[in-house]
Amino acid sequence: MTQRLILKPTLPTDIAIKGIVFDMDGTLCLPQTWMFAEMRKVLGISKGIDILDHIYSLEVAEQEEAHEKVRQVERKAMVEIQPQPGLNELMQFLEEQKLLKSICTRNFPTPVNHLLSTFLPSKLFHPIVTRDFKPPKPSPAGILHIAKHWKLEPKHLIMVGDSIDDMLAGRRAGVTTVLLESDVNKHLKEAPETDVVVQRLDEIIDLLQSGIEIFQHTPEVSEAEVEALN
C-alpha cells in the first residue's frame, strides 16, 4: 500500500514526518572522495574492502593503531570541510518546524564537532551517532537507536545520505531514504534501497511540504543489532 510521508498530514493515510537523520561526509559537507582512498592506502587494503570491517577484523592490540591512522586522515580532511549547498536554508526550515535532527556517521566525533561548530553553531543535533557506536552503517542499529531515543516509530523518520551504506541502513531500519546525488553516486539513483533523490539539500524542504509517496518497509534487524539497542 502506498502512503504519503509529509510534514503536515491532511489525509487519513498520511504519515507525519517527525525527525530526520543525516549522514555527515558527502551529505552535510561536500564529498571528499580522496579521503577514503587515502584511508585504504595507509591501511594497505584494496578498494573493495570495507575500512571499518577491516579494522575490526584485526587483533585487538592492532585495532587502535589502525583507528589512529584513519583518524589522522580524517583530521587532515576536517580542515578542508565545506558545507553542502542549501545546508543553512534546510536547517533554518527544520528549526522553524521544530523537526528533530540527528547525525549517523561512520566518522569519529572530532570532525563532526568541527563541522557543527564551524557551520551550524546554533543548530541542535541529538543524539549524534559516530563510529564509537557499534555496529556501524550499513547496520540499521544506529538509526534505530536514534528512533528509540526520540520515542518514535521508524516510519516517521527520513535518512538523508550519499552512500549505499546510508541507503541500506535506512531501508533496513524501516525509514524513508533520501539520496543526495553527486558525481560519484549517480548509480545509486536506481538502487532499490533509494526512495527519493535530490541534488541539493534545500530541495528537501519541498519534499517535506508536498510529501513523499512511499511503500512502508519492515525493519530488518539481526539479533546482534537488537542487542546493540538494549
Side-chain angles (χ1 to χ4, degrees), residues 85-103:
L87 174 65
N88 286 318
E89 291 85 347
L90 174 60
M91 294 305 148
Q92 182 62 36
F93 178 81
L94 299 183
E95 294 269 312
E96 292 170 355
Q97 300 300 320
K98 295 181 171 54
L99 278 176
L100 297 168
K101 304 184 299 302
S102 181
I103 292 173

Side-chain angles (χ1 to χ4, degrees), residues 9-55:
T10 57
L11 301 173
T13 56
D14 284 348
I15 299 173
I17 299 169
K18 297 184 178 180
I20 302 183
V21 181
F22 293 91
D23 171 53
M24 189 186 96
D25 298 302
T27 301
L28 294 178
C29 58
L30 291 173
Q32 294 175 294
T33 53
W34 64 267
M35 178 173 63
F36 302 105
E38 183 69 15
M39 289 176 185
R40 290 186 169 89
K41 180 180 178 181
V42 299
L43 293 174
I45 59 175
S46 62
K47 184 177 180 180
I49 298 175
D50 184 272
I51 293 167
L52 293 184
D53 284 349
H54 168 74
I55 292 176

Side-chain angles (χ1 to χ4, degrees), residues 11 35 46 52 59 61 75 93 117 141 144 161 177 200:
L11 301 173
M35 178 173 63
S46 62
L52 293 184
E59 296 293 332
R75 292 187 188 102
F93 178 81
S117 62
L144 292 174
T177 58
R200 288 174 50 102

